Amino acid sequence: MRARAALPADAAVLVYTSHGIGPERTASRFLDAILARLDSGPHSPQSRSLFDRLAPLYRRLVPAALRRRLAPSIVGNHAYRWAEADRLRHRRYFALNPSYATGGVRFNVKGRDAHGMVAPGAELEQLMHEVADHFREMRNADTGERLVEDITFTSDLYDGPLRAALPDLLLEWNKSHPIDRVSSPRIGEVKNPVASIRSGDHALSEQGLLFVPRAAGFVGQQAEIHVIDLAPTILALLGVNADHLSGKTISFLAPSNDSNYANVVRSGR
């Protein structure tokens, strides 16, 4: 309230609470292992990178105690980055996750990526649809439920100048149960090898809350809005045209003096 008192009387204040938190349920942590299994076919005779071929020799010749000391060092960090680059240049696609809530698949495209393997155009489109179909077949091995709720091609959502830096496919995980093992006829079974240190996930709950004080000029209540309506609403308060954005400006009921924070709006995920 002190912060509110320090603002001008006609200042618009919106208080938004996010969607809460629940258990972490994601396959983003081992998405790249799933993709590597999916991409390990006869089409790619060089599927094993130089690092993959040298790693067993390194583990056999270098004592474990020395490997533990080298791993966090500058030399170890450079070696890790080199190994990652060498590994990915032999892959047609790999994980590029925007978040734990959503998985991202990046295709190694000729002319776009440093070591492109997939030709843009028809070859890329066909491969993207093949990968999407494979993910539609995948199941949570512990429950038999589908792994993904939805698959989105980012080219259908974004067309800006930085579009090429994004993943090509976005995977919305089915979060009804923990995801520890994934299976399909194509990949067999892949287990999650990465233990999570996060206590939960913000994206599990379906609802948040938006409070708008009377001083903002909005009073009343709506049952539900969508979170994407917040951006055009804030821009409208600032007098900025928001016609190019998804969502709509939130409209509120007629003024009332019932409460200082009279407007309570639920926002869908």
Side-chain angles (χ1 to χ4, degrees):
M1 295 304 294
R2 288 184 179 180
R4 177 69 187 88
L7 296 173
D10 60 348
V13 178
L14 284 75
V15 180
Y16 173 67
T17 66
S18 65
H19 307 298
I21 196 166
E24 183 185 73
R25 294 172 178 175
T26 178
S28 293
R29 294 186 180 279
F30 64 118
L31 173 58
D32 201 61
I34 297 172
L35 292 170
R37 179 75 63 85
L38 187 62
D39 198 30
S40 59
H43 63 269
S44 179
Q46 292 183 315
S47 58
R48 293 189 68 210
S49 68
L50 178 61
F51 176 80
D52 292 331
R53 297 191 293 271
L54 292 180
L57 181 63
Y58 172 74
R59 287 191 291 268
R60 186 165 62 249
L61 296 180
V62 180
L66 181 57
R67 296 201 306 269
R68 286 194 294 269
R69 294 184 63 181
L70 287 173
S73 68
I74 295 177
V75 173
N77 285 330
H78 280 295
Y80 175 80
R81 288 196 294 269
W82 173 84
E84 282 295 289
D86 183 64
R87 179 177 63 85
L88 295 180
R89 70 166 55 102
H90 298 281
R91 298 268 300 276
R92 295 187 299 168
Y93 41 80
F94 49 86
L96 186 63
N97 293 313
S99 68
Y100 292 121
T102 305
V105 183
R106 171 89 172 185
F107 289 79
N108 204 359
V109 180
K110 294 178 180 177
R112 184 187 72 176
D113 299 287
H115 302 280
M117 296 183 64
V118 182
E123 181 180 342
L124 174 61
E125 287 295 320
Q126 180 180 348
L127 184 59
M128 290 174 64
H129 283 282
E130 287 179 2
V131 171
D133 288 341
H134 285 308
F135 272 95
R136 293 187 182 100
E137 293 179 349
M138 293 182 194
R139 294 292 182 267
N140 184 327
D142 294 309
T143 67
E145 296 180 323
R146 62 183 182 273
L147 176 65
V148 295
E149 290 282 3
D150 197 15
I151 300 175
T152 303
F153 288 66
T154 53
S155 57
D156 294 337
L157 296 178
Y158 308 107
D159 58 2
L162 298 181
R163 155 69 191 99
L166 299 175
D168 298 296
L169 293 180
L170 297 175
L171 310 174
E172 183 179 342
W173 305 121
N174 178 356
K175 298 185 177 185
S176 60
H177 292 85
I179 306 173
D180 295 316
R181 298 185 302 134
V182 172
S183 64
S184 80
R186 166 76 179 186
I187 65 172
E189 181 178 293
V190 180
K191 296 181 180 180
N192 180 7
V194 184
S196 174
I197 60 173
R198 299 178 75 229
S199 59
D201 186 352
H202 289 281
L204 187 65
S205 175
E206 293 290 339
Q207 292 183 331
L209 289 173
L210 174 68
F211 300 87
V212 183
R214 281 188 299 109
F218 304 135
V219 178
Q221 180 171 330
Q222 289 187 24
E224 183 173 335
I225 63 171
H226 197 286
V227 68
I228 65 173
D229 296 334
L230 297 181
T233 300
I234 293 172
L235 289 178
L237 289 172
L238 297 173
V240 178
N241 186 294
D243 292 342
H244 62 289
L245 295 180
S246 301
K248 58 186 179 181
T249 302
I250 303 168
S251 59
F252 293 85
L253 303 181
S256 167
N257 294 320
D258 293 340
S259 169
N260 190 43
Y261 281 81
N263 192 56
V264 181
V265 179
R266 296 185 181 277
S267 61
R269 184 169 56 182

